[in-house]
């Protein structure tokens, strides 16, 4: 580990990592209901509900939500109390007024979600992460996503210590930018989300990782120094 910020992998290495992750992702795709939404705006709702919540907990709430609100107009006309009651199991009831406003705002646009970053970002309850997630996962627009799992993963690829501030660092953004392909963005970003949730976890499962020491500096150092990683695996 050095003191200077890590540099992103070169193009060839990035493409190799992309291919490996996308391949892993296709094999381990998690078929959450919002990953194949019948209506695009439900994809946006899912990304809002998924923030700081566990996906498994979101499933029943999401299903009730989309049944009750097939259209943004219905969400915009619902009472805040009703929306609160639906999302309360996620501890997100305070977001109910924002969701109601979101329904109203989308109604003004014929129920369509804009595919423009700035327009999305200005919607009630939609921040930078939800914008990037919606664009890349539901609209096919290339956009990089950075959450705490992805920060941890990049920290390991580069063998760089990360903390709560790292996600805003230029080097980290440049790194994820380099890793993110130009095409098939939703395939890659779903793979990245699933891989960092299933394999490169807090205690990394290096023994089943398709990247290994060839691409992961942290793993390479563990092996070179014969030091066990958090998993106790050398
Ligand atoms: S080798 Fe281990 S630490 Fe490196 S990316 Fe894979 S799971 Fe994460």
């Amino acid at each position: 580990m050095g003191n200077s910020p890590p540099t992103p992998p070169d193009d060839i290495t990035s493409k190799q990592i992309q291919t490996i992750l996308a391949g892993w992702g296709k094999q381990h795709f998690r078929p959450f209901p919002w990953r194949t939404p019948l209506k695009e705006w439900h994809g946006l709702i899912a990304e809002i509900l998924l923030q700081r919540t566990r996906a498994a907990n979101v499933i029943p709430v999401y299903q009730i939500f989309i049944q009750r609100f097939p259209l943004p107009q219905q969400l915009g006309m619902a009472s805040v109390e009703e929306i609160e009651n639906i999302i309360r199991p996620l501890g997100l009831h305070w977001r109910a007024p924002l969701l109601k406003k979101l329904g109203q705002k989308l109604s003004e646009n014929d129920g369509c979600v804009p595919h423009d970053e700035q327009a999305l970002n200005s919607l009630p309850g939609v921040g930078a992460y939800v914008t990037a997630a919606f664009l890349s996962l539901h609209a096919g627009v290339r956009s990089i996503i950075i959450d705490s799992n992805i920060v941890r993963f990049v920290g390991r690829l580069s063998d760089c210590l990360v903390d709560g501030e790292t996600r805003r660092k230029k080097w980290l953004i440049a790194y994820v930018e380099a890793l993110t392909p130009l095409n098939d963005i939703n395939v890659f970003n779903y793979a990245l989300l699933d891989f960092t949730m299933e394999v490169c976890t807090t205690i990394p499962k290096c023994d089943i990782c398709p990247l290994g020491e060839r691409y992961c500096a942290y793993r390479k150092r563990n092996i070179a120094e014969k030091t066990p990683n958090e998993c106790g695996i050398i």
Side-chain angles (χ1 to χ4, degrees):
M1 277 182 278
N3 290 328
S4 54
T7 50
D10 59 42
D11 284 355
I12 292 174
T13 306
S14 289
K15 282 200 170 57
Q16 289 168 342
I17 294 174
Q18 288 163 12
T19 303
I20 291 169
L21 285 183
W24 183 94
K26 282 178 189 163
Q27 281 184 338
H28 299 87
F29 183 76
R30 302 169 88 200
F32 292 118
W34 49 83
R35 290 191 170 185
T36 47
L38 294 177
K39 294 175 178 147
E40 200 177 85
W41 84 280
H42 286 156
L44 180 65
I45 293 295
E47 298 310 328
I48 293 172
L49 298 180
L50 283 163
Q51 279 198 298
R52 287 184 277 281
T53 50
R54 293 188 53 218
N57 296 339
V58 174
I59 294 173
V61 173
Y62 174 77
Q63 282 168 333
I64 292 170
F65 198 103
I66 64 171
Q67 273 169 19
R68 170 62 186 89
F69 306 119
L71 300 170
Q73 288 83 347
Q74 291 156 323
L75 177 61
M77 286 166 58
S79 69
V80 169
E81 291 72 26
E82 183 185 8
I83 303 168
E84 266 177 4
N85 285 335
I86 292 174
I87 62 177
R88 191 178 302 280
L90 299 175
L92 299 175
H93 52 283
W94 54 272
R95 284 196 190 148
L98 286 173
L99 286 169
K100 179 177 169 69
K101 281 187 194 150
L102 176 63
Q104 291 168 337
K105 204 77 190 161
L106 292 178
S107 303
E108 292 168 11
N109 196 30
D110 285 336
C112 298
V113 184
H115 286 192
D116 169 77
E117 189 179 328
Q118 211 178 348
L120 262 167
N121 238 325
S122 68
L123 290 173
V126 177
Y129 178 82
V130 170
T131 293
F134 173 79
L135 286 175
S136 63
L137 302 174
H138 302 284
V141 177
R142 185 183 182 277
S143 199
I144 65 166
I145 49 170
I146 297 174
D147 65 11
S148 56
N149 290 351
I150 292 167
V151 170
R152 182 182 60 229
F153 169 58
V154 171
R156 291 196 178 127
L157 283 185
S158 56
D159 201 11
C160 177
L161 287 175
V162 295
D163 59 27
E165 290 304 306
T166 308
R167 70 174 63 204
R168 280 177 274 279
K169 302 278 187 205
K170 277 187 189 161
W171 75 262
L172 188 283
I173 295 167
Y175 210 109
V176 179
E177 186 67 56
L179 281 182
T180 304
L182 296 177
N183 302 310
D184 294 330
I185 185 66
N186 65 338
V187 172
F188 178 80
N189 275 356
Y190 276 136
L192 187 60
L193 288 171
D194 290 347
F195 178 82
T196 55
M197 200 174 286
E198 299 278 317
V199 180
C200 198
T201 42
T202 310
I203 298 175
K205 300 178 180 121
C206 300
D207 52 333
I208 59 163
C209 177
L211 294 171
E213 73 270 24
R214 178 163 178 201
Y215 298 102
C216 176
Y218 163 87
R219 179 72 174 141
K220 190 174 177 181
R221 179 168 57 83
N222 279 168
I223 291 172
E225 294 176 359
K226 293 195 177 355
T227 51
N229 63 18
E230 291 97 327
C231 232
I233 297 161
I234 294 178

